[in-house]
Structure formats: C-alpha cells, structure tokens
Amino acid sequence: MRQSKLFGKTLREDPKDEISANARLLERAGFIYKTMAGVYDYLPLGLKVLDKINEIIREEMNAIGGQELFLSAFQPKERWQKTGRWETGNEVMYQFKDNSGHSLGLAWTHEEAITEIATRFISSHKDLPLFLYQIQTKFRDEPRAKSGLIRGREFLMKDLYSFHTDEKDLERFYDKARDAYLNIFRRCDLSVYVTEASGGTFTKSYSHEFQVLSDAGEDWLFYCKKCGYAQNKEIAKIGVGHLCPKCKGKIEQGRSIEVGNIFKLGVKFSEPFGLLYADEKGKKYPVVMGSYGIGPGRLMGTIVETHRDERGMMWPDAVAPYRVHIIELLGKEKVKKVKEVAEKLHQELLAKGIEPLYDDREEKSAGEKFADADLLGIPWRVVVSEKTLEKSSAEVKRRDKQQAQLVKLSQLKNFLAK
Ligand code: ATP
Ligand code: MG
C-alpha cells in the first residue's frame, strides 16, 4: 500500500477530547475516527487490525466446533419480556418506538435471540451439543464511555453460545472454551489472568473473566505473579499482602481490563423460552447453556494500551495492519535510484505475501516519516536511502527495539519473511 494514497493521515496533535491513550494514539495515527463518545469509525488501518483480530477469534472458535451466524441488532420488546430484561435491562438497552408505535430495542447481548431461534432447531438429545457464535455489533448506553475502544456504546462482540444436555457436558466445553480464549489472547500478545468472578446477572455460580493488567482498566485485580491466580476485587476473598491460596506466593493489586468472559448460564434462558430436548426415552428437559464473550474492539484498545511508548504504538506481528513499513528517503537531490529500489522492494514483498506499507511521500522530511512510522507502530521498519544504497543495503529496525541493522538488498526478502 502506498502511503501517499492511504486514506487516513496522521495528526500532529492529540485530539483534545480524548483522555485514554488508545483513543489518542489510534485517532492521531488515522486508524479510527470519533463520531461521538463511545462511537468510533474504523478507517482502513484500523479495520485491518480489527479484521486480523476477528480472524484469530474465528479460527479458535471454529477449532472448538463453533458455527458462525449473524443475528440482528434490532429486537422486538416481546422477546425481551420473556426474561424480564426489557424492564431490568433498560438502563443499558436503547429502547424506542417505530412510526407505527411498536416498541423496539437494540441488542446489547443475544441470549434471548439465540435461545428463541434454537427452539426451532433443537428438540432431541441428538441435536446436542451445539455451539453457535457471531461477531456482531452491540449497543449499550454505557454511562462512562471515556476509554476509547475499551468502552464503546456501539461495539463489536464475539458471542458464543453453547447448548448441552447436562451440566457435565457444559463443564467439559467450558474448559475447552477457556483454552481457546487463552489461545486468542496469546496470539494477540496479551498476557491475561483468568479470574474468578461472580456470575453477574446470570448465575450464582462463578464465571471467569480474562483480565489484562493495565492502568487504563476499570477493574481492580488481586493477583499472584508466580502462579497466575487472580480474583476480581468485586468478589475477592483475598487482599494485598495475603498469601496466594494456590502457591503461597505474594498477592498484589493492580488495575485491569476485562477482555473476555465466560458464563455458565444453566437453564436461565432455556426455561422461559421453553427450549427443551427429549432424551432417549422421550422425556423432556430444559437445555443447559453457556455463553462466552470477547470484545474485538476492546481487544484492539487493550493491545494499544499495553504495546506503546512515548512515540506511538507497537503492534504485535499477528495483528499489525502491515508487517513491514518501507521508508524511502530521497534526500534533497531526489535520488532516482532510491525510489527504484524502494518500489522494487514494495513489489517483491507484495508478491511474497509480506504486507508492506510503502512511505512513498515525497513532500515529507525524514524526520516526519520516522515520527509517523513510530506512531503507526508497524513491526519492521525498512529505510532505503542513498546512504544505505552505498552499501547495497537497507536499514532494518524492529519498532520495539533500539538497534537498527544494515541488511543486504539481496537478502532482505528472506530476512523479513522470517
Ligand atoms: P464490563 O464489565 O467491562 O462492562 P461486561 O461484563 O458488561 O463488561 P459482557 O457483557 O460479558 O461484558 O461482554 C462480553 C465482552 O464484550 C467483554 O468481556 C468485553 O470484552 C466486551 N465488552 C463489553 N462491554 C463493552 C463495551 N462497552 N465496549 C467494548 N467492548 C465491550
Ligand atoms: Mg458492562
């Protein structure tokens, strides 16, 4: 991609109305545009990151048997009255009337919808277990939408719902989903604490949250560095200075971001919707359910919060918008050869499937190009200039390292393919 053609220019200054680092950096770098508090548009660079995160999530959900679908955001009131959540959820749910006077709302979660749909297709134990997921837009009237992508009022969620004959089967899948979640976060280079948490509005039994330590977080965590044991402060039975109940390590406290969570729903939704299955003898039971959420946008915001320095972002390879940032420095003499070499490298990397962003902008100074490269945070920076060409080389540097090195042009493709 030629940077001269890229939609989304960098801004010199931080946006004035953003306090969170993720929003400031992503807006300045042209990844996102703020429509209003908690509502962001993804521009080409931002969408590339989001797509990569979504693809990682998809791969891991498909690997545990998930089938992808896509449910509507528009919801009828009657569906939500079955669980009482039209009334109890009205603080988060956007509710309104259409021109014919019907009450409607925008889904802030999809348990009601998926359970209703499942009643048409699940009737026998032979239909179970079943795992359905989507990556879809949710709407929530969040009162404090000040954390950039971490707390949207319109945001993407991956929500998976599982359907089982009994608790035991749910338990088995729950553990698998937990491992799939750990894979997702590892692939996004996030270290998470699997945290015991309360079942919230769903269940009395424990659920689990996946928490990333960060000052940008809104939660507080008690955690043990040694073995990874953690509890959310909301329900904690441990505190700072206590001994870890698992390994006797020291318990510490820190702010954290909840990037995902998993719940055992039991029959909370299947009962009101009459979602039943018949066993071998024809006896009917309510289907046992679980739900599993991740916010891809929140994940993106969390990656920025935890992968940055004073100059900008530092994307992990797996989710970086581009893998290589080619920077041509034509110098005052506008050396033709530099452009030829950079252009050729751009084409070669494209052909090799190593996505390059090519800074071919002629009006920008070297200083401006380097500052933009640091802000954008693409993992590899490759500088081609008259000076590097004297050594038949380009200067290569990782965004997260200080040291640069000269790599011979003939070896560059293979070097970057590693
Ligand atoms: P929180 O306590 O942070 O409000 P939640 O408990 O309401 O989160 P869920 O309703 O279980 O979260 O949503 C599942 C996942 O969706 C969360 O783990 C998070 O990754 C993401 N998510 C929830 N709310 C938002 C939001 N307002 N903006 C972006 N992502 C969100
Ligand atoms: Mg919430």
Side-chain angles (χ1 to χ4, degrees), residues 140 142 149-153 155-157 258-261 263 293-295 298:
R140 292 186 184 180
E142 301 274 8
L149 293 187
I150 291 172
R151 187 163 298 283
R153 294 193 292 154
F155 63 96
L156 273 192
M157 194 196 285
E258 178 203 304
V259 285
N261 60 28
F263 287 102
I294 289 186
R298 182 177 288 189

Side-chain angles (χ1 to χ4, degrees), residues 155-172:
F155 63 96
L156 273 192
M157 194 196 285
K158 184 287 300 173
D159 38 338
L160 171 81
Y161 303 92
S162 71
F163 303 86
H164 309 267
T165 49
D166 52 50
E167 284 285 334
K168 259 222 171 101
D169 198 53
L170 169 60
E171 295 276 349
R172 265 195 300 272

Side-chain angles (χ1 to χ4, degrees), residues 38 108-109 111 138 140 142 144 148-159 181 185 202 209-210 218-219 234 257-263 291-299:
W108 53 282
T109 180
E111 283 81 11
K138 306 277 185 265
R140 292 186 184 180
E142 301 274 8
R144 298 175 314 278
L149 293 187
I150 291 172
R151 187 163 298 283
R153 294 193 292 154
E154 173 180 338
F155 63 96
L156 273 192
M157 194 196 285
K158 184 287 300 173
D159 38 338
Y181 269 41
F185 300 128
F202 291 133
E209 294 170 349
F210 298 80
E218 297 169 8
D219 289 10
E234 272 178 13
I257 305 171
E258 178 203 304
V259 285
N261 60 28
I262 52 181
F263 287 102
S291 80
Y292 315 80
I294 289 186
R298 182 177 288 189
L299 221 58

Side-chain angles (χ1 to χ4, degrees), residues 246-258:
K246 267 205 172 150
C247 76
K248 304 285 176 238
K250 211 173 80 202
I251 295 293
E252 298 177 46
Q253 168 178 279
R255 279 212 165 265
S256 65
I257 305 171
E258 178 203 304

Side-chain angles (χ1 to χ4, degrees), residues 258-277:
E258 178 203 304
V259 285
N261 60 28
I262 52 181
F263 287 102
K264 291 172 193 160
L265 300 175
V267 298
K268 187 172 159 92
F269 292 90
S270 49
E271 274 185 343
F273 281 93
L275 175 60
L276 307 174
Y277 74 94

Side-chain angles (χ1 to χ4, degrees), residues 42-287:
Y42 287 82
L43 308 183
L45 285 174
L47 184 60
K48 269 188 158 280
V49 176
L50 190 66
D51 281 346
K52 289 191 178 181
I53 292 173
N54 286 342
E55 217 31 55
I56 290 173
I57 293 175
R58 269 197 188 97
E59 283 174 20
E60 297 296 337
M61 293 298 100
N62 293 343
I64 56 171
Q67 296 184 52
E68 187 169 0
L69 39 63
F70 190 84
L71 307 183
S72 65
F74 243 169
Q75 300 280 311
K77 174 182 178 182
E78 294 70 26
R79 176 182 278 173
W80 290 73
Q81 284 179 318
K82 291 209 167 144
T83 54
R85 291 213 287 185
W86 180 261
E87 288 76 20
T88 57
N90 64 2
E91 275 181 18
V92 281
M93 190 172 193
Y94 288 100
Q95 302 179 340
F96 39 85
K97 285 193 169 50
D98 65 13
N99 285 340
S100 45
H102 290 129
S103 290
L104 302 170
L106 291 173
W108 53 282
T109 180
H110 276 89
E111 283 81 11
E112 279 82 354
I114 200 86
T115 312
E116 181 188 308
I117 295 166
T119 56
R120 186 177 294 173
F121 302 103
I122 295 175
S123 56
S124 153
H125 65 97
K126 290 181 194 145
D127 300 322
L128 300 169
L130 181 65
F131 319 112
L132 303 172
Y133 78 95
Q134 60 175 345
I135 298 175
Q136 190 266 2
T137 307
K138 306 277 185 265
F139 297 86
R140 292 186 184 180
D141 197 350
E142 301 274 8
R144 298 175 314 278
K146 292 192 180 132
S147 302
L149 293 187
I150 291 172
R151 187 163 298 283
R153 294 193 292 154
E154 173 180 338
F155 63 96
L156 273 192
M157 194 196 285
K158 184 287 300 173
D159 38 338
L160 171 81
Y161 303 92
S162 71
F163 303 86
H164 309 267
T165 49
D166 52 50
E167 284 285 334
K168 259 222 171 101
D169 198 53
L170 169 60
E171 295 276 349
R172 265 195 300 272
F173 182 76
Y174 189 87
D175 290 345
K176 261 188 162 174
R178 174 182 186 271
D179 291 345
Y181 269 41
L182 292 176
N183 288 342
I184 292 167
F185 300 128
R186 186 181 36 76
R187 291 176 67 180
C188 292
D189 200 33
L190 288 174
S191 41
V192 294
Y193 283 88
V194 183
T195 308
E196 290 174 6
S198 74
T201 52
F202 291 133
T203 59
K204 285 207 180 60
S205 74
Y206 281 90
S207 62
H208 289 92
E209 294 170 349
F210 298 80
Q211 298 272 2
V212 175
L213 287 176
S214 161
D215 286 338
E218 297 169 8
D219 289 10
W220 281 99
L221 206 64
F222 289 131
Y223 63 96
C224 170
K225 247 192 218 142
K226 212 167 131 200
C227 74
Y229 181 80
Q231 283 186 358
N232 193 317
K233 195 174 175 182
E234 272 178 13
I235 57 136
K237 295 186 193 76
I238 52 175
V240 178
H242 286 194
L243 292 185
C244 169
K246 267 205 172 150
C247 76
K248 304 285 176 238
K250 211 173 80 202
I251 295 293
E252 298 177 46
Q253 168 178 279
R255 279 212 165 265
S256 65
I257 305 171
E258 178 203 304
V259 285
N261 60 28
I262 52 181
F263 287 102
K264 291 172 193 160
L265 300 175
V267 298
K268 187 172 159 92
F269 292 90
S270 49
E271 274 185 343
F273 281 93
L275 175 60
L276 307 174
Y277 74 94
D279 70 3
E280 291 87 344
K281 294 180 189 124
K283 194 155 184 255
K284 290 190 172 169
Y285 298 94
V287 171

Side-chain angles (χ1 to χ4, degrees), residues 377-414:
I378 292 164
W380 290 102
R381 189 186 79 186
V382 176
V383 178
V384 181
S385 69
E386 200 179 2
K387 225 167 99 198
T388 69
L389 290 189
E390 278 168 16
K391 300 212 163 79
S392 315
S393 302
E395 186 209 69
V396 180
K397 183 185 159 307
R398 291 271 313 171
R399 172 64 180 87
D400 55 358
K401 297 271 170 6
Q402 295 302 328
Q403 229 56 25
Q405 68 183 108
L406 284 177
V407 176
K408 292 274 180 232
L409 292 173
S410 55
Q411 291 160 14
L412 203 52
K413 268 180 301 173
N414 289 337

